[in-house]
Amino acid sequence: MILSLVCRPNQALSQPIPHESENGAAALTYWADLRKKKSFVFSANLDLPELSNNQSWYCVWIMVSELKGTSQHPSMLQVGLMRWDQSKFQMQPFITTEQRGKNLVFKPVGENLTGYHRFAVADDPSTIELRMDGKVLMSAPRKDFFKDEIIYVKIAAEVYAVGERASGLVNDVTLATDGDKEETPSFYAAFEDRGLKFVCKGKGRWEATGRFDPAQRFVQYEPPPCP
């Protein structure tokens, strides 16, 4: 199951929220056992074009997480873009965090945006940060989230309401570890979740597409090259 934003449109801001599993998500998963690294920066450019027929929330994000299965709800941090009724469907940045076994904590941050913005999760032995366009949106002690479990990275685009379309544009995905050069990380798998998936648009550009249909299957597949 996709680790998801799972916020409710009428949820109060910046507070714990319960887990849900009824939204759909297209996902690209990259293999990187980051617990063996002293530091890392996982980055991507994200945009979330407006879909005027969508009536509920939809979003696109990057994430660093413990491997699913290490606990019921692994520790994770997300940062990205969303559109929802509380912003009158203007594009907003948000962060979502979860400490192992606890509720998700969701928080919209900053002003309404347009176009691409660069998001990053940056980690060193003591601190982990969520960033947008080089600005720190959140900083916390690394030990509050990650200890000895396998850590991996993911990009996803989510849709909440049945029948609504996915949105989300992604390019220039990079991962730098231990101060080395930023490089495109190696794929582990991609996921088509009930009609939603990413398609390659060439030159490292990805577009989320499809309509959320709970009757369709959740499928893991080998992501195509995206030269």
Side-chain angles (χ1 to χ4, degrees), residues 150-168:
I150 295 173
I151 304 171
Y152 74 107
V153 296
K154 177 185 284 186
I155 295 174
E158 289 188 273
V159 175
Y160 180 72
V162 172
E164 295 194 343
R165 293 167 51 208
S167 178

Side-chain angles (χ1 to χ4, degrees), residues 60-227:
V60 61
W61 44 257
I62 68 172
M63 179 184 77
V64 175
S65 174
E66 292 180 330
L67 187 66
K68 186 74 170 176
T70 55
S71 70
Q72 182 177 5
H73 297 302
S75 292
M76 67 87 177
L77 299 101
Q78 293 173 340
V79 62
L81 297 166
M82 71 177 303
R83 294 181 185 268
W84 62 332
D85 59 354
Q86 291 194 22
S87 68
K88 298 181 180 179
F89 292 95
Q90 296 298 304
M91 189 171 74
Q92 286 187 327
F94 74 91
I95 60 175
T96 307
T97 62
E98 179 178 13
Q99 294 172 284
R100 188 187 309 173
K102 298 182 180 180
N103 282 335
L104 297 162
V105 177
F106 162 76
K107 182 180 180 181
V109 289
E111 69 284 355
N112 294 337
L113 303 173
T114 59
Y116 278 98
H117 295 269
R118 188 154 191 84
F119 292 89
V121 184
D123 169 275
D124 63 32
S126 62
T127 305
I128 193 160
E129 295 180 341
L130 301 179
R131 302 173 181 169
M132 182 185 74
D133 298 332
K135 178 182 177 181
V136 176
L137 302 179
M138 180 201 135
S139 180
R142 187 185 194 281
K143 62 181 177 59
D144 288 356
F145 291 92
F146 302 129
K147 295 180 175 65
D148 298 321
E149 301 292 352
I150 295 173
I151 304 171
Y152 74 107
V153 296
K154 177 185 284 186
I155 295 174
E158 289 188 273
V159 175
Y160 180 72
V162 172
E164 295 194 343
R165 293 167 51 208
S167 178
L169 302 175
V170 179
N171 66 45
D172 194 19
V173 181
T174 62
L175 177 65
T177 59
D178 293 344
D180 291 339
K181 179 181 177 182
E182 292 185 347
E183 296 182 340
T184 303
S186 300
F187 271 117
Y188 171 64
F191 298 91
E192 179 177 350
D193 185 7
R194 292 167 288 184
L196 308 178
K197 67 184 297 183
F198 276 105
V199 295
C200 172
K201 306 302 287 186
K203 298 183 179 180
R205 297 176 295 122
W206 296 90
E207 180 179 357
T209 186
R211 291 184 183 274
F212 178 28
D213 179 0
Q216 294 193 35
R217 295 177 58 194
F218 177 88
V219 178
Q220 178 176 331
Y221 63 95
E222 284 289 328
C226 196

